[in-house]
């Protein structure tokens, strides 16, 4: 396939190369990627459906969990279908506007998921450290304002990236050595100074996510201190099991993201295809595992899923075709 290497101002299209160096394995890599994507979408969709329909799950913790599941669906859907199209159909071209839109949603979902995890940590902090005031602190108007603040903050932090990219002239190559568009990767193709893009792209979102991570760490340090002060071993076990699923999700989000960031920033000797593989795993692996973690560790969700499956089975058996 021939690619047009010269572009004027804004290119009509960019060309996503997939995973450079592993072109021969694109088809094989697409199999686990597709499996993880389908599992992530189905798992998170079931999670949202169960939380929405089960009245006993209409609590702040599960509201934030449904926000996390919706964010995971958007994050993986923004990136994986295009990667699969590259691997299966060699559909490398992506419009400039579509590329910028993909950049916006990828980074918005990243910042948004961090804020949701912070809200969930706050919920657990109030529930364990101030249980008598939980109902008065986390009322539904307060929860709604927290949700609106999460969406507004994520939008406001990433929206300037659109203008930072659109102001750049692209008069060189239009080849992007990646399977999806991300801010700095696109900016590096410009034939102009991208210092502002680098500073804003690395500093503002990362500082906000680091700030969230620090607040989460402080919250859980106080939570664990309160848990181990409980007089009853059963009470300690119940409190730890309640927080266990959330801690697993936090580690799955921050662990790969910070590792990928550090290797991208400082791992000069790490091959490029390793960076891109990590980036692809990041947008699909945590979304796939999150519903499993909550499904295994949260009794109410397990029971809700079981009831829905039972209702579907009864409906199928009662239908004329059954």
């Amino acid at each position: 396939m021939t690619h047009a290497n010269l572009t004027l101002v804004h290119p009509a299209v960019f060309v996503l190369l997939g995973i450079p160096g592993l072109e021969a394995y694109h088809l094989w890599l697409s199999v686990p990627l597709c499996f993880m994507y389908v599992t992530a979408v189905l798992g998170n969709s079931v999670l949202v459906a169960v939380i929405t329909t089960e009245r006993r799950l209409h609590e702040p913790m599960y509201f934030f969990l449904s926000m996390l599941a919706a964010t995971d669906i958007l994050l993986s859907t923004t990136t994986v279908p295009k990667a699969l199209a590259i691997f299966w159909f060699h559909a490398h071209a992506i419009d400039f506007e579509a590329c910028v839109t993909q950049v916006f949603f990828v980074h918005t979902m990243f910042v948004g998921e961090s804020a949701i995890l912070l809200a969930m940590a706050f919920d657990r902090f109030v529930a364990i450290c101030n249980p008598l005031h939980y109902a008065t602190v986390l009322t539904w108007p307060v929860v709604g304002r927290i949700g609106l603040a999460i969406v507004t903050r994520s939008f406001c932090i990433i929206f300037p990236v659109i203008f930072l990219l659109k102001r750049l002239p692209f008069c060189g190559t239009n080849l992007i050595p990646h399977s999806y568009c991300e801010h700095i990767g696109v900016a590096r193709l410009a034939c102009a100074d991208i210092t502002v893009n680098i500073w804003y792209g690395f500093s503002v979102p990362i500082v906000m996510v680091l700030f969230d991570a620090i607040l989460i760490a402080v919250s859980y340090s106080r939570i664990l201190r309160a848990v181990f002060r409980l007089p009853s071993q059963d009470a300690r076990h119940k409190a730890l099991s309640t927080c266990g699923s959330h801690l697993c999700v936090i580690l799955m989000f921050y662990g790969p993201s910070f590792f990928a960031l550090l290797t991208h920033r400082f791992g000069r000797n790490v091959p490029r295809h390793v960076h891109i593989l990590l980036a692809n795993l990041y947008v699909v692996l945590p979304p796939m595992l999150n519903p499993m973690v909550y499904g295994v560790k949260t009794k109410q969700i397990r029971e809700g899923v079981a009831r829905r499956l039972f209702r579907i089975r009864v409906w199928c058996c009662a239908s004329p075709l059954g």
Side-chain angles (χ1 to χ4, degrees), residues 116-311:
I116 293 168
L117 292 175
L118 175 59
M120 294 173 73
F122 177 68
D123 172 89
R124 291 300 85 203
F125 170 77
V126 177
I128 292 174
C129 297
N130 297 284
L132 298 179
H133 298 92
Y134 182 81
T136 57
V137 172
L138 280 170
T139 61
W140 279 113
V142 171
V143 171
R145 286 195 289 270
I146 292 174
L148 180 61
I150 290 171
V151 175
T152 303
R153 190 191 80 155
S154 304
F155 178 85
C156 292
I157 289 174
I158 303 302
F159 191 67
V161 169
I162 296 176
F163 298 100
L164 289 177
L165 285 177
K166 286 194 170 186
R167 73 182 179 88
L168 295 174
F170 295 86
C171 52
T173 181
N174 64 346
L175 305 181
I176 301 177
H178 211 302
S179 59
Y180 61 84
C181 297
E182 52 90 22
H183 176 210
I184 300 301
V186 175
R188 283 174 175 159
L189 301 182
C191 50
D193 184 18
I194 61 169
T195 302
V196 176
N197 293 74
I198 293 174
W199 277 104
Y200 191 92
F202 278 120
S203 301
V204 177
I206 298 305
V207 166
M208 295 306 299
V209 171
L210 281 173
F211 180 71
D212 293 344
I214 291 170
L215 290 180
I216 290 172
V218 171
S219 297
Y220 266 92
S221 66
R222 298 190 64 179
I223 288 171
L224 292 175
R225 186 168 57 184
V227 167
F228 288 115
R229 285 179 178 176
L230 294 174
S232 169
Q233 185 175 354
D234 290 338
R236 289 197 297 269
H237 181 268
K238 183 178 180 180
L240 287 173
S241 64
T242 302
C243 298
S245 54
H246 187 210
L247 282 171
C248 289
V249 170
I250 289 171
L251 292 174
M252 286 190 300
F253 174 79
Y254 286 108
S257 60
F258 284 137
F259 179 76
L261 174 67
L262 291 173
T263 56
H264 184 76
R265 188 66 174 158
F266 303 108
R268 302 299 181 185
N269 296 324
V270 179
R272 176 180 289 176
H273 65 265
V274 174
H275 290 297
I276 300 173
L277 280 172
L278 286 173
N280 278 277
L281 283 176
Y282 167 73
V283 299
V284 73
L285 190 59
M288 180 189 74
L289 294 177
N290 288 351
M292 298 181 185
V293 170
Y294 279 105
V296 169
K297 287 187 170 289
T298 308
K299 180 181 178 182
Q300 293 89 335
I301 292 178
R302 291 200 307 269
E303 292 175 348
V305 173
R307 277 193 291 271
R308 285 190 66 84
L309 292 175
F310 177 75
R311 290 170 191 165

Side-chain angles (χ1 to χ4, degrees), residues 54-93:
E54 293 287 333
R55 293 184 62 85
R56 63 186 297 193
L57 297 181
H58 291 177
E59 299 177 5
M61 180 179 74
Y62 299 110
F63 171 77
F64 294 132
L65 179 55
S66 65
M67 285 188 67
L68 181 69
T71 302
D72 282 339
I73 293 173
L74 286 172
L75 177 63
S76 55
T77 301
T78 300
T79 54
V80 177
K82 180 59 182 178
L84 293 176
I86 294 170
F87 296 160
W88 289 344
F89 309 114
H90 305 289
H92 295 270

Side-chain angles (χ1 to χ4, degrees), residues 19-31:
I19 306 178
L22 296 179
E23 290 86 354
Y25 302 98
H26 275 181
L27 189 59
W28 293 103
L29 291 171
S30 70
V31 175

